[in-house]
Amino acid sequence: RRQRQLCIRDRVVIKIQDNAKGMPEAVKKCIFENLFTTKCVGKGTGLGLSISRQIVVENHGGNLICESVLGQGTQFIISIPILGE
């Protein structure tokens, strides 16, 4: 797992990447939906990425992007504006 943090102009960008198996496009399209989970019934709430998206996008005006390639892994990119004083 790799993590990187950058400042690009007026934004902080955080990239979190793994080298796992990646995810199919059908799963990737749903991961930010409320109550979506790939786990068995009773094993996950499906709230984690939905809440993360809400915090980053709605509360802070940022972006939360998922890039995933089957067999190569997944990367989440979080971009949040830097507020001036």
Side-chain angles (χ1 to χ4, degrees), residues 11 53 55-64 78-81:
R11 302 182 84 75
R53 187 201 148 295
I55 292 168
V56 171
V57 176
E58 296 175 18
N59 294 5
H60 295 289
N63 296 308
L64 179 55
I78 304 163
S79 172
I80 301 173

Side-chain angles (χ1 to χ4, degrees), residues 71-84:
Q72 295 182 16
T74 300
Q75 176 173 251
F76 285 93
I77 304 169
I78 304 163
S79 172
I80 301 173
I82 299 171
L83 299 176

Side-chain angles (χ1 to χ4, degrees), residues 6-78:
L6 311 164
C7 284
I8 301 175
R9 295 185 192 156
D10 60 345
R11 302 182 84 75
V12 171
V13 179
I14 302 165
K15 296 181 178 184
I16 304 166
Q17 180 179 10
D18 70 20
N19 60 354
K21 64 181 182 173
M23 65 181 86
E25 192 64 31
V27 171
K28 185 179 152 190
K29 288 180 181 180
C30 300
I31 61 171
F32 295 116
E33 292 178 10
N34 192 27
L35 303 179
F36 176 78
T37 184
T38 58
K39 296 179 182 177
C40 297
V41 174
K43 295 291 182 183
T45 62
L47 294 174
L49 288 174
S50 173
I51 291 172
S52 298
R53 187 201 148 295
Q54 181 180 5
I55 292 168
V56 171
V57 176
E58 296 175 18
N59 294 5
H60 295 289
N63 296 308
L64 179 55
I65 299 168
C66 174
E67 297 175 346
S68 186
V69 178
L70 275 176
Q72 295 182 16
T74 300
Q75 176 173 251
F76 285 93
I77 304 169
I78 304 163

